[in-house]
Amino acid sequence: DGRFIVLAETAGEFSRKPGEGLLFPGDPVEGAEPVSFLLETDGGYQPTDMAQLPDGRVLILLRALGLGLPPFAGRLVVADPADIRPGQPWPWQLFAELDDPLPRDNYEGLAIISADNGPTDSGAATIWVISDDNNAVLHRSLLLKLHWDPDAQ
């Protein structure tokens, strides 16, 4: 709708503080002034990417550093930009834990492709989630393909 949302990984991978977000009413490059809000997560999860769903809500990819191998945990949460209030936590709902039966990894990227773009758009979409091996022996490059069905429970 012409607004821009910016999320930060806050004070680093080990931070357990709420993350700060900015909602710009228009293009930040053109001088739009943002509204500040919070993204509260549990377990040290921090945002690594975000993409808009066909219905206007956003899917946020969260990552946490842990003690297992691989040492990462991932989550996908859904939030509605209409629920952003200045200085307040942005409410979200858990969509998926990126854990068994999915492989645990350093998921960092997210893309959403609408399943149909006609006037009777069902809101269904394909979600792509990617991890990067960072040229590290214990990391892998993985691509997950998930299905978004807004009518499913």
Side-chain angles (χ1 to χ4, degrees), residues 7-10 12-17 39 41-50 60-66 70-77 92 94 96-98 103-110 129-134 139-140:
L7 298 176
E9 285 190 58
T10 67
E13 298 265 354
F14 298 105
S15 175
R16 300 209 184 263
K17 298 179 195 173
L39 181 67
T41 62
D42 55 0
Y45 282 89
Q46 300 293 323
T48 62
D49 203 359
M50 176 174 49
I60 305 167
L61 176 60
L62 302 174
R63 174 183 62 198
L65 194 57
F72 301 101
R75 286 184 175 164
L76 291 169
V77 300
W92 52 265
L94 180 66
E97 295 277 358
L98 299 179
R104 287 181 65 157
D105 215 292
N106 184 23
Y107 295 108
E108 299 177 296
L110 178 61
V129 183
I130 191 166
S131 71
D132 178 11
D133 68 7
N134 295 314
H139 295 194
R140 303 171 285 187

Side-chain angles (χ1 to χ4, degrees), residues 77-112:
V77 300
V78 179
D80 190 337
D83 295 334
I84 294 174
R85 302 289 180 265
Q88 299 298 311
W90 187 18
W92 52 265
Q93 293 181 320
L94 180 66
F95 170 63
E97 295 277 358
L98 299 179
D99 206 345
D100 288 334
L102 300 172
R104 287 181 65 157
D105 215 292
N106 184 23
Y107 295 108
E108 299 177 296
L110 178 61
I112 298 174

Side-chain angles (χ1 to χ4, degrees), residues 95 147-153:
F95 170 63
H147 179 69
W148 171 262
D149 181 354
D151 297 326
Q153 292 295 322

Side-chain angles (χ1 to χ4, degrees), residues 112-137:
I112 298 174
I113 301 168
S114 180
D116 46 29
N117 294 314
T120 60
D121 189 356
S122 69
T126 299
I127 300 168
W128 293 98
V129 183
I130 191 166
S131 71
D132 178 11
D133 68 7
N134 295 314
N135 295 316
V137 174

